[in-house]
């Protein structure tokens, strides 16, 4: 069993994951209520919250567990907010020192990919094309085997999650924007406003890349055309939300299936905070079925957004593929950008 810690942004999470990727414990504390007050994540506040909550979350996750019995400690070492990351890393180092355990550093985005390994009843099939889509990253990887993955697409500006968050703010919906915008969109008409699908027809080096900053600007101008958000009725706001959500989801899936077609790989996967989005999940499953593809999404919504269980899964992969002489010494672990 591995005890994993994740503190890359505004969540503090500690999980216990066994060697079959089964989640034994997964405690998540989120400071998003604080971020809602400030209109988004403020790194200084997130770092303070992480430092304040770390020991409580650790205590809750390891209740009735003897840490002498675990195999290793794991921790996210980046990318993320440096103040928050440091709390997780230094706590993990202390545990590794006290309990004399290896400390496995985990790349956050690989953690998101490994969220798809958690609590599965069947083996995960390689190779797979994975869309990892969050607030801070938006990539397509070819995941060749447990440890090998190659990025083939990325965003050239904002990530889709960031676009959800900024658009939600423009619509006066609060933070975190993704789930709030999606809730508003449930009563809206996604066809009422025709927002762009950026880079959809790119033929050059951007063929598999994303761009979401233009979508944000398009919404800004549309709101201005409508006389400002204060002059929009509830239905118009819902229609704007639904039209933005449709444009984001279509853009994401268009590129994912373009890569799938190009590389002829019959397994596709979604992960990252935005993969918690219901229309995105539904549409992804529908297209995968139509194309007769194997498909994976994290078993539970809480495995899509930031959590330590995914870090535990990634650490199990790193541990069981560890190279000759690789010691996972806590003294070697530091923040990685
Ligand atoms: O993976 P994550 O928890 O943190 C990062 O690594 O960035 O992703 C957070 C992002 C936020 O931008 C949030 O608005 C978005 O995921 N998100 C959603 C939904 N739930 C979270 N976006 C759309 N629909 C959702 N249901
Ligand atoms: Zn994340």
């Amino acid at each position: 069993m591995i005890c994993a810690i994740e503190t890359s942004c505004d969540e503090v999470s500690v999980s216990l994951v066994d060697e079959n990727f089964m989640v034994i414990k997964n405690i998540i504390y989120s400071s998003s209520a604080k971020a809602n007050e400030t209109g988004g994540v403020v790194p200084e506040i997130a770092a303070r919250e992480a430092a304040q909550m770390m020991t409580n979350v650790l205590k809750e996750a390891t209740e009735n567990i003897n840490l002498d019995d675990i195999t290793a400690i794991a921790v996210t070492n980046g990318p993320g907010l440096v103040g928050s990351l440091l709390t997780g890393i230094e706590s993990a180092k202390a545990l590794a020192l006290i309990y004399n355990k290896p400390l496995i550093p985990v790349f956050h985005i690989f953690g998101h990919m490994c969220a798809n390994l958690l609590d599965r009843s069947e083996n995960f099939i390689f190779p797979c094309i994975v869309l990892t889509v969050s607030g801070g990253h938006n990539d397509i990887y070819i995941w060749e085997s447990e440890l090998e993955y190659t990025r083939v697409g990325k965003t050239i500006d904002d990530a889709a999650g960031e676009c959800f968050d900024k658009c939600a703010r423009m619509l006066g919906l609060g933070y975190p924007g993704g789930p709030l915008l999606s809730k508003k969109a449930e009563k809206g008409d996604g066809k009422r406003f025709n927002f762009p699908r950026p880079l959809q027809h790119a033929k050059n080096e951007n063929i598999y890349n994303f761009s979401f900053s233009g979508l944000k600007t398009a919404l800004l101008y549309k709101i201005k055309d409508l006389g400002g958000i204060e002059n929009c009725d509830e239905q118009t706001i819902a229609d704007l939300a639904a039209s933005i959500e449709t444009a984001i989801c279509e853009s994401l899936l268009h590129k994912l299936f373009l890569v799938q077609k190009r590389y002829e790989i019959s397994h596709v996967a979604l992960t990252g905070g935005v993969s918690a989005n219901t229309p995105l999940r539904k549409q992804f499953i529908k297209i995968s079925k139509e194309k007769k593809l194997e498909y994976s999404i994290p078993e539970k919504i809480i495995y899509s957004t930031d959590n330590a269980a995914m870090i535990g899964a990634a650490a199990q992969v790193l541990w069981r593929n560890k190279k000759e002489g690789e010691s996972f010494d806590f003294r070697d672990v530091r923040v990685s950008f």
Side-chain angles (χ1 to χ4, degrees):
M1 191 160 69
I2 285 180
C3 173
I5 298 177
E6 152 66 40
T7 61
S8 67
C9 189
D10 60 343
E11 270 87 23
V12 176
S13 177
V14 178
S15 300
L16 300 169
V17 177
D18 79 10
E19 60 191 347
N20 297 315
F21 305 113
M22 293 297 155
V23 179
I24 314 297
K25 271 279 181 72
N26 187 29
I27 307 297
I28 305 170
Y29 166 78
S30 172
S31 60
S32 63
K34 284 257 174 348
N36 194 10
E37 288 167 21
T38 50
V41 177
V42 176
E44 175 71 21
I45 296 175
R48 282 166 192 248
E49 284 283 304
Q52 208 159 18
M53 293 310 294
M54 188 70 239
T55 42
N56 294 350
V57 176
L58 188 58
K59 194 159 163 266
E60 197 180 337
T62 56
E63 228 161 38
N64 308 321
I65 299 282
N66 183 351
L67 282 178
D68 280 318
D69 296 338
I70 63 162
T71 314
I73 315 285
V75 68
T76 304
N77 69 333
L81 305 175
V82 69
S84 303
L85 282 168
L86 281 172
T87 291
I89 293 174
E90 295 311 314
S91 306
K93 283 186 173 183
L95 288 178
L97 172 67
I98 295 164
Y99 291 96
N100 192 24
K101 299 290 176 190
L103 177 57
I104 305 171
V106 175
F107 172 47
H108 183 77
I109 300 168
F110 184 53
H112 273 301
M113 288 162 67
C114 291
N116 269 300
L117 307 179
L118 292 168
D119 287 353
R120 287 180 74 93
S121 48
E122 289 157 16
N123 282 341
F124 189 89
I125 297 165
F126 294 99
C128 175
I129 310 267
V130 198
L131 171 64
T132 67
V133 55
S134 282
H137 50 87
N138 197 139
D139 303 301
I140 301 178
Y141 287 91
I142 298 178
W143 197 0
E144 291 102 353
S145 65
E146 273 194 354
L147 259 195
E148 291 173 293
Y149 49 92
T150 312
R151 190 167 74 170
V152 291
K154 63 180 191 324
T155 179
I156 60 167
D157 41 54
D158 295 345
E162 192 180 345
C163 184
F164 266 115
D165 293 339
K166 300 239 168 85
C167 290
R169 183 141 39 132
M170 283 187 246
L171 295 172
L173 301 175
Y175 183 89
L180 294 172
L181 187 144
S182 194
K183 182 96 200 93
K184 194 78 191 167
E186 281 171 14
K187 295 201 173 76
D189 172 6
K191 294 199 178 82
R192 174 160 167 204
F193 299 103
N194 187 20
F195 289 114
R197 274 60 169 162
L199 298 183
Q200 188 156 21
H201 303 292
K203 290 268 178 284
N204 48 21
E205 73 277 9
N206 284 325
I207 184 165
Y208 304 130
N209 287 344
F210 302 92
S211 165
F212 289 105
S213 65
L215 206 47
K216 235 168 40 188
T217 316
L219 177 63
L220 183 74
Y221 284 121
K222 182 53 71 187
I223 293 173
K224 270 192 185 155
D225 281 355
L226 294 166
I229 201 69
E230 60 286 0
N231 287 315
C232 294
D233 57 28
E234 283 304 305
Q235 189 56 52
T236 301
I237 296 176
D239 292 345
L240 285 166
S243 303
I244 282 289
E245 183 175 54
T246 305
I248 295 176
C249 294
E250 273 186 26
S251 301
L252 290 170
L253 294 177
H254 173 75
K255 295 284 171 158
L256 173 66
F257 288 103
L258 204 60
V259 172
Q260 185 279 322
K261 194 169 163 210
R262 157 71 180 79
Y263 290 92
E264 295 179 342
I265 289 173
S266 59
H267 183 191
V268 286
L270 273 191
T271 194
V274 176
S275 73
N277 182 271
T278 307
L280 182 70
R281 284 185 166 229
K282 281 194 179 151
Q283 200 56 21
F284 166 74
I285 294 172
K286 183 169 169 274
I287 302 173
S288 299
K289 282 185 176 164
E290 279 165 9
K291 293 182 182 288
K292 301 198 173 16
L293 300 171
E294 183 86 26
Y295 62 88
S296 298
I297 28 175
E299 280 290 324
K300 295 181 180 166
I301 295 279
I302 50 163
Y303 300 158
S304 284
T305 45
D306 286 352
N307 68 91
M310 67 186 199
I311 303 303
Q316 289 286 7
V317 168
L318 293 163
W319 182 251
R320 71 190 197 189
N321 291 285
K322 123 172 110 83
K323 294 172 202 83
E324 188 80 22
E326 200 166 12
S327 64
F328 291 120
D329 188 316
F330 73 87
R331 281 163 285 233
D332 299 333
V333 177
R334 51 184 58 88
V335 176
S336 159
F337 294 100

